[in-house]
Amino acid sequence: MAEIREEGATTGVIDDNTIDKERREKELEAWLPITSSRNAKWWYSAFHNVTAIVGAGVLSLPMPWLNLDGISRVLYRMHCFCFGYLKRGPGVVVLVLSWIITLYTLWQMVEMHESVPGKRFDRYHELSQHAFGEKLGLYIVIPQQLMVQVGVNIVYMVTGGRSLQKAYNTLCTSSGCKDIRLTYWIMIFAAPHFVLSQLPNFNSIWVISLAAAVMSLSYSTIAWIASAHKGIQPDVHYGPKSSTTTGMVFDFLSALGNVAFAYAGHNVVLEIQATIPSTPETPSKKPMWRGVKVAYFIVAACYFPVALIGYRMFGNNVQDNVLVSLEKPEWLIAAANLFVLIHVVGSYQVFAVPVFDMMETFMVKKMQFKPGLRIRLIGRSLYVGLTMFLGMTFPFFGGLLGFFGGFAFAPTTYFLPCIIWLAIFKPKRFSFSWFMNWICIVLGVLLMVLSPIGALRDIIIQAKSYKFYS
């Protein structure tokens, strides 16, 4: 009897500990920014995804990268993909194929959010852990996702600063206007984020995200309409910028990273879906997918006109931010840059929320901090300050787009969802699903390997003449 009582007592302790641990887990989930609010509607999914996907990338799409003479004569004049040149245009296939592949992999993410009945994978790494194991899944996703989200926030610091600078220089045309360094504009852009970053969860930033989505469509429309109004420039040239074969190859590789950067929503899609309520009758994937379809229609309306018309008008003289290539009418260009500013404010917050979630989970679970205002105020403020500092130190807009786009976005956007899909659902070998996933994996791996090479070269070239904090 004594042995039985001892065994029962031990079992009781284990049960009490388990119950207490589960209670603490639920309390933490109710506090963390991803899972503390689950009352979002389908249109939240639409504008959150537009805000996440459309951004700095759209302004870099009309780029002189589509000439591959240095790679293959068969792809000669690949850059001439617009209007009358469309028949010679495999270059546009790159843009269209990216749109299709990323829509497919985004659909996979939405479907896998609740691939296990009664369980929700609210975070990218939780889905990866289910597919590859607790430790391996964590190691595969967390570094990549952090690289994407922190990288995007650094780029948006630069984008916001440049947009402020461009608006100021456009409107202030008198001789008495003071030339203000980009460093100071980045600091000005960062200032409101110290306040906005204290908003508790994803749903609390919905107004900011909605405004950002509206602005993305607005400035994209301004960019292509103003480019079309400006007309084809007298000195337009559609050949490659570089005069050497090596230069042309590197430019092409860098531009592939820019295209990859243009599709970033996968890194926050599960976190966005986590904010939508789910029941057995109406799982979250239904409203989420409805919002994604609307978002991708808007993405196409933003990306393709800017890419096609912008490059047609400016050729290889286009800047890595097409709005910089436009000078008149001044008020419209200034307004477009201010729209960009509003958009990247929202985009910054959308990408920062999952980072805050990881930080606060680590501080509470591993460092034993008590959940509360203090750790949020300190941790989030330090994060905003870090991205501001790195943006001021390395403001290489085009190079950063290509590098982060290829090295970090390609895995999490183009092929990691396919690998997880194969691991979870195990489609029959040589079936349509099996082929689709392996095609995406091969293309994604090539993108990840090749595109950072050209982007790193761009950064090195720009760094030769760059003065810190100039």
Side-chain angles (χ1 to χ4, degrees), residues 259-438:
V259 174
F261 192 99
Y263 297 95
H266 300 62
N267 293 278
V268 293
V269 68
L270 293 178
E271 289 80 357
I272 293 171
Q273 192 168 346
T275 66
I276 298 177
S278 183
T279 63
E281 297 76 20
T282 309
S284 63
K285 68 180 181 180
K286 291 184 177 180
M288 181 67 185
W289 179 239
R290 186 180 179 186
V292 167
K293 289 187 291 185
V294 173
Y296 254 70
F297 175 80
I298 297 173
V299 168
C302 291
Y303 279 10
F304 290 100
V306 173
L308 297 172
I309 297 175
Y311 187 67
R312 173 66 171 170
M313 298 303 116
F314 297 102
N316 66 9
N317 291 323
V318 69
Q319 300 292 321
D320 56 10
N321 180 335
V322 68
L323 290 177
V324 177
S325 298
L326 299 168
E327 299 295 338
K328 294 181 180 181
E330 288 86 354
W331 65 270
L332 185 63
I333 305 309
N337 279 277
L338 292 176
F339 291 165
V340 173
L341 173 70
I342 296 171
H343 175 78
V344 293
V345 166
S347 293
Y348 184 99
Q349 290 300 316
V350 166
F351 279 96
V353 169
V355 180
F356 297 154
D357 187 86
M358 294 181 202
M359 288 168 47
E360 288 157 16
T361 300
F362 178 78
M363 286 189 287
V364 172
K365 285 188 173 182
K366 300 298 182 181
M367 302 180 69
Q368 302 300 314
F369 283 100
K370 185 178 180 181
L373 178 63
R374 181 180 298 177
I375 65 171
R376 279 189 169 165
L377 182 63
I378 297 173
R380 296 185 182 191
S381 298
L382 286 174
Y383 176 78
V384 174
L386 175 64
T387 55
M388 178 188 70
F389 171 75
L390 293 174
M392 292 188 303
T393 306
F394 307 105
F396 308 124
F397 180 83
L400 287 171
L401 282 182
F403 184 80
F404 286 119
F407 190 70
F409 281 57
T412 54
T413 298
Y414 284 80
F415 67 85
L416 190 54
C418 298
I419 295 175
I420 295 175
W421 184 275
L422 293 173
I424 293 177
F425 294 107
K426 298 178 174 59
K428 187 177 179 181
R429 183 174 292 186
F430 305 124
S431 65
F432 177 77
S433 175
W434 187 88
F435 270 115
M436 279 288 295
N437 284 288
W438 275 107

Side-chain angles (χ1 to χ4, degrees), residues 156-206:
Y156 283 162
M157 280 288 177
V158 179
T159 307
R162 287 193 183 278
S163 297
L164 277 171
Q165 186 182 49
K166 176 65 176 179
Y168 171 80
N169 292 337
T170 301
L171 293 174
C172 190
T173 56
S174 65
S175 57
C177 290
K178 186 177 180 181
D179 184 24
I180 302 176
R181 295 180 180 180
L182 177 61
T183 298
Y184 296 129
W185 291 116
I186 294 175
M187 293 173 67
I188 293 170
F189 173 77
H193 289 290
F194 286 99
V195 177
L196 295 175
S197 65
Q198 301 306 317
L199 293 172
N201 53 54
F202 232 133
N203 284 338
S204 64
I205 66 169
W206 75 268

